[in-house]
Amino acid sequence: MITKKTSEEIQTLQAAGNILATILHKLGAAAVPGATALDLDDLAMELVAEYQVEPVLLGYHPSFAPRPYPAAACISVNDCVQHGIPTADIVFKEGDVVNIDMSIAHEGLIVDSGITVPVGTVAPDVRKLLDVTREALAHGINAAQPGNRIGDISHAIQTFVESRGLSLVEVLCGHGVGYAVHEEPTIPNLGRPGTGPKIEVGHVYAIEPIVNMGSADVYFDDEGDGYSVFTKDGSWSAHFEHTVAITENGPLILTKRRS
Ligand code: MG
């Protein structure tokens, strides 16, 4: 079942989204050469305390994982596609790309967002990866109009990314969000227009294209930390994610910084 949020709940989600966007912005600015993924997670814990929100990924136990998630944020560097566990061993270098993905709860409601930031100056093809992924998210959001279908979001993301010669990870998808971290519907990043559930006013989605520079193939590091997903060919990957409410006027991005 796809839940519908009331306009009051969407206002609360928007306040939560503003806080999460501010936290992610501060975390992104801290991804400098020599800093570690654990430094970022420590800062994330300080910021959730400061803004009095809950880091819902900490202790979250998805069905695929061997143990509850041990950190506030997922920090995935270069060829780590998603779900990287922040440790002190992961030291950022000039030219790296760092994905920071985080969910928070505020007044009982959950938002989910992610950014991928360059560490210092990155190579031109890496810059393109970031730009295409960010723009793919914008295309996906733009297709999230009431009356459209989920496949329209997928198709908008797929056609844009493929037109730029990059590939989308098929096994990792967007999702409904708000009362829980992962709700229905699943929002694939590849798909056909006019297919899937209908998009309706009151739905809240986390839309999140995950784009690789090389092949789309990934593997789950079951032998390692049980969470990290890597590209099979070692190529680098990027991810941008917003939580979006469907309103009568179209999609409203909730995880945006507002003054
Ligand atoms: Mg998500």
Side-chain angles (χ1 to χ4, degrees), residues 101 112 175 182 206 208 241:
D101 187 352
D112 188 1
H175 49 93
H182 292 106
E208 48 180 326
E241 176 176 18

Side-chain angles (χ1 to χ4, degrees), residues 120-231:
T121 305
V122 295
D125 56 345
V126 176
R127 187 76 254 170
K128 176 188 166 188
L129 170 73
L130 298 182
D131 291 343
V132 167
T133 311
R134 191 187 301 101
E135 211 176 322
L137 173 58
H139 285 286
I141 292 170
N142 197 39
Q145 303 290 341
N148 278 1
R149 291 186 179 270
I150 294 297
D152 294 313
I153 299 174
S154 314
H155 183 70
I157 292 171
Q158 179 179 1
T159 49
F160 177 73
V161 170
E162 290 180 348
S163 78
R164 295 300 186 270
L166 299 176
S167 60
L168 281 155
V169 177
E170 196 162 10
V171 294
L172 297 165
C173 298
H175 49 93
V177 66
Y179 303 132
V181 185
H182 292 106
E183 296 181 14
E184 289 179 36
T186 295
I187 306 174
N189 288 309
L190 302 97
R192 292 208 311 274
T195 63
K198 203 172 211 173
I199 296 169
E200 294 180 30
V201 172
H203 288 182
V204 176
Y205 305 143
I207 301 176
E208 48 180 326
I210 296 154
V211 178
N212 294 352
M213 288 170 78
S215 137
D217 295 339
V218 298
Y219 67 93
F220 286 72
D221 188 20
D222 296 328
E223 309 290 301
D225 64 20
Y227 273 95
S228 295
V229 181
F230 291 97
T231 60

Side-chain angles (χ1 to χ4, degrees), residues 20-104:
L20 180 54
T22 303
I23 291 173
L24 284 174
H25 179 75
K26 291 184 177 184
L27 294 177
V32 295
T36 73
L38 186 61
D39 293 336
L40 254 53
D41 200 64
D42 289 345
L43 178 57
M45 288 303 291
E46 283 172 31
L47 291 167
V48 295
E50 181 183 334
Y51 291 104
Q52 300 183 4
V53 293
E54 235 179 281
V56 291
L57 296 184
L58 181 62
Y60 181 67
H61 196 164
S63 55
F64 67 82
R67 60 188 165 121
Y69 192 72
C74 293
I75 313 269
S76 309
V77 181
N78 298 345
D79 64 323
C80 183
V81 175
Q82 283 284 276
H83 308 156
I85 296 177
T87 66
D89 300 338
I90 303 170
V91 183
F92 306 143
K93 299 182 307 297
E94 178 85 19
D96 284 348
V97 287
V98 177
N99 173 241
I100 308 163
D101 187 352
M102 205 170 154
S103 300
I104 61 161

